[in-house]
Amino acid sequence: MREAERDYYRKKVPKILDELSKKEYEACFFETAEEAGQFILDQIKAGELVGTGGSVTLREDLGLVEALRNKGNTVFDHWEDEENYEKRIELKRKHREVDVFLSSANAITEEGIIVNLDGGGNRVASTCSGPKRVILVAGLNKLVKTTDDAISRTRNKAAPINAVRKSLKTPCAETGVCIDCDSPSRICAALLILLKKPWDIDAFTVILVNEDLGY
Ligand code: SF4
């Protein structure tokens, strides 16, 4: 992200943080992934159980799985053994019982609406109910104007890039455009639009970062 773009986001962020606060999130902003990662590490106490939703941001940009394990936390990460279906499901089911669930977002609107699209559904489930706390982190490349823009971003940007990353043979991986396909490799099934903090989550922190993170 160029400096002018980062400066543009600095001007927009106070209003977005305010919208998120009105929706009962604890909202905060960091200039870098490194700062956001350290903040998240500081929020998670020794011994707390942690689940990680499917997210390139959490793993590659912030390196949180490794950092938390180094700190002594147990982290349930279903990306560890992608080919082992039984193990993946077992790890995903544990996500609903953790102290802290970590997630990113496919899109966040200027009004503070958070949108995620899942194939399996563990991430959308665990950002609604189950974990005591949720910490969600997103680069400002995920910011869009409206909820329609957010849904479009999930299906025409995030999902196609994920399909390419996983070498799936879906129409969106071929063309970059969603056609609401019937592909056996379909990567999306459950769409979650968070209008405000769900009741079942005791504390929900939303962290915006002034960098391009994930996709
Ligand atoms: S419905 Fe099919 S084409 Fe559309 S985003 Fe999902 S996998 Fe891609």
Side-chain angles (χ1 to χ4, degrees), residues 50-164:
V50 181
T52 50
S55 163
V56 168
T57 298
L58 295 174
R59 292 167 180 79
E60 294 182 16
D61 296 323
L62 276 75
L64 281 171
V65 173
E66 193 182 354
L68 283 162
R69 285 185 178 149
N70 288 342
K71 208 179 133 182
N73 292 98
T74 298
V75 182
F76 301 119
D77 177 13
H78 63 292
W79 278 16
E80 266 174 2
D81 200 349
E82 292 261 30
E83 304 307 317
N84 186 335
Y85 176 79
E86 294 301 326
K87 182 84 184 295
R88 273 170 64 84
I89 286 289
E90 188 187 322
L91 287 166
K92 289 202 238 182
R93 289 190 173 135
K94 286 183 190 296
H95 287 168
R96 256 111 61 210
E97 298 164 13
V98 296
D99 298 300
V100 186
F101 184 72
L102 302 176
S103 178
S104 185
N106 290 141
I108 297 184
T109 76
E110 293 181 5
E111 305 269 301
I113 308 291
I114 299 165
V115 179
N116 265 320
L117 180 64
D118 265 11
N122 69 302
R123 180 175 56 164
V124 300
S126 301
T127 47
C128 271
S129 184
K132 296 183 185 76
R133 287 152 50 216
V134 171
I135 300 175
L136 181 146
V137 57
L140 284 168
N141 53 312
K142 307 285 183 70
L143 184 69
V144 296
K145 185 135 190 82
T146 68
T147 303
D148 282 347
D149 294 336
I151 295 168
S152 176
R153 190 183 193 285
T154 67
R155 304 189 80 173
N156 295 304
K157 186 148 194 189
I161 297 175
N162 261 313
V164 170

Side-chain angles (χ1 to χ4, degrees), residues 167-211:
S167 303
L168 299 178
K169 297 199 181 322
T170 62
C172 60
E174 296 294 320
T175 66
V177 177
C178 172
I179 60 159
D180 195 14
C181 72
D182 289 323
S183 164
S185 301
R186 179 168 167 145
I187 198 169
C188 55
L191 179 73
L192 177 69
I193 302 172
L194 280 175
L195 303 175
K196 67 177 297 188
K197 181 185 86 66
W199 292 345
D200 289 0
I201 307 292
D202 294 343
F204 197 131
T205 305
V206 178
I207 299 168
L208 303 179
V209 182
N210 204 5
E211 287 186 356

Side-chain angles (χ1 to χ4, degrees), residues 3 6-14 29 31 210:
E3 189 52 31
R6 299 183 78 214
D7 208 23
Y8 162 81
Y9 284 125
R10 283 180 198 116
K11 292 175 179 31
K12 291 184 83 77
V13 155
F29 172 63
E31 285 289 339
N210 204 5

